[in-house]
């Protein structure tokens, strides 16, 4: 059973889906979410994690240098023997301080095609551009902003979506299923980049 940490900054709906899949779905028997870590004390996802009985920690990033924050985060994760770090709405760019410790083992989900749009507000971008289709991207994390190698992408049909809320709702619905499936393939070392 591989031990994963899920890093969040807010709502944590992807985190909830991953925990659920690890308990009863495609990740069952493959991995366990041993800890949820937030860089913000007010992250709603912390409450959700405790409802699942998953330990959570908060290492606040505010007013800390990146080096100090990441050093503290590594120290806290070490106590849980974490092997994989799954970012799910974690709103901090990680530097080599953290990434060299978990080299190749940090994964992120981005609500757009990372080739076309990096950074925040992926759904706002898709809505503004009037896209009929957008892509959710799961990628390895490197020191850049959404520049790591793409593991897999899934399309979101946006035809007829006439509000930003609708775009987000359709996208999140795909994210919640897709992320766990990709994590499953990565952990089974079966994953090559694919579009579905
Ligand atoms: C998701 O859209 C994810 O793709 C992006 O941030 C959002 C997090 O949502 N990285 P949640 O916290 O998982 O609900």
């Amino acid at each position: 059973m591989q031990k994963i940490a899920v890093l969040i900054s807010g709502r944590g709906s992807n985190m909830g889906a991953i925990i659920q899949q690890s308990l009863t779905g495609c990740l069952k028997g493959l991995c366990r979410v041993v800890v949820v870590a937030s860089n913000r004390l007010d992250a709603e996802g912390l409450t959700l994690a405790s409802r699942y009985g998953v330990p959570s920690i908060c290492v606040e990033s505010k007013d800390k240098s990146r080096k100090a924050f990441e050093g503290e985060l590594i120290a806290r994760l070490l106590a849980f023997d974490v092997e994989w770090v799954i970012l799910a709405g974690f709103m901090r760019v990680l530097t080599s301080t953290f990434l060299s410790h978990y080299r190749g083992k940090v994964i992120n989900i981005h609500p757009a095609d990372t080739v076309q749009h990096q950074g925040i507000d992926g759904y706002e971008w898709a809505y503004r551009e009037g896209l009929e289709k957008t892509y959710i991207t799961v990628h390895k994390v490197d020191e850049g902003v959404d520049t790591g190698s793409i593991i897999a992408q899934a399309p979101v049909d946006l035809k007829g979506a006439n509000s930003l809320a609708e775009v987000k709702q359709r996208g999140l619905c795909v994210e919640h299923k897709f992320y766990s499936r990709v994590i499953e393939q990565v952990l089974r070392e079966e994953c090559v980049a694919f579009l579905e």
Side-chain angles (χ1 to χ4, degrees), residues 9 60 95 183 187:
S9 297
E60 285 200 275
T95 72
I183 293 168
L187 296 186

Side-chain angles (χ1 to χ4, degrees), residues 8-16 45 87-91 108-112 123 136-137 146 168 171-172 175-176 179:
I8 62 168
S9 297
R11 184 176 52 194
S13 67
N14 277 289
M15 172 215 66
L87 310 188
F90 181 70
M91 304 303 284
N108 184 43
I109 187 164
H110 180 72
Y123 290 130
I136 305 298
T137 305
D146 304 319
K168 287 185 178 175
L172 276 171
E175 287 192 44
H176 293 160
Y179 206 4

Side-chain angles (χ1 to χ4, degrees), residues 82-187:
V82 165
E83 296 165 89
W84 288 88
V85 178
I86 307 298
L87 310 188
F90 181 70
M91 304 303 284
R92 290 282 294 190
V93 175
L94 292 165
T95 72
S96 56
T97 302
F98 189 87
L99 295 172
S100 58
H101 197 87
Y102 290 104
R103 185 57 71 190
K105 300 260 179 164
V106 186
I107 296 171
N108 184 43
I109 187 164
H110 180 72
D113 178 351
T114 50
V115 176
Q116 293 189 65
H117 178 88
Q118 306 83 30
I120 61 170
D121 295 339
Y123 290 130
E124 285 77 357
W125 167 77
Y127 182 58
R128 205 172 49 240
E129 297 288 316
L131 302 186
E132 291 207 330
K133 198 194 256 186
T134 195
Y135 289 91
I136 305 298
T137 305
V138 176
H139 63 93
K140 287 277 174 90
V141 175
D142 65 12
E143 283 80 359
V145 177
D146 304 319
T147 51
S149 62
I150 294 174
I151 302 168
Q153 292 186 310
V156 183
D157 180 5
L158 296 181
K159 275 192 233 79
N162 48 23
S163 69
L164 177 58
E166 174 74 19
V167 168
K168 287 185 178 175
Q169 194 257 323
R170 290 192 198 183
L172 276 171
C173 190
V174 172
E175 287 192 44
H176 293 160
K177 296 190 195 108
F178 183 58
Y179 206 4
S180 293
R181 286 187 43 221
V182 178
I183 293 168
E184 179 197 0
Q185 293 194 322
V186 170
L187 296 186

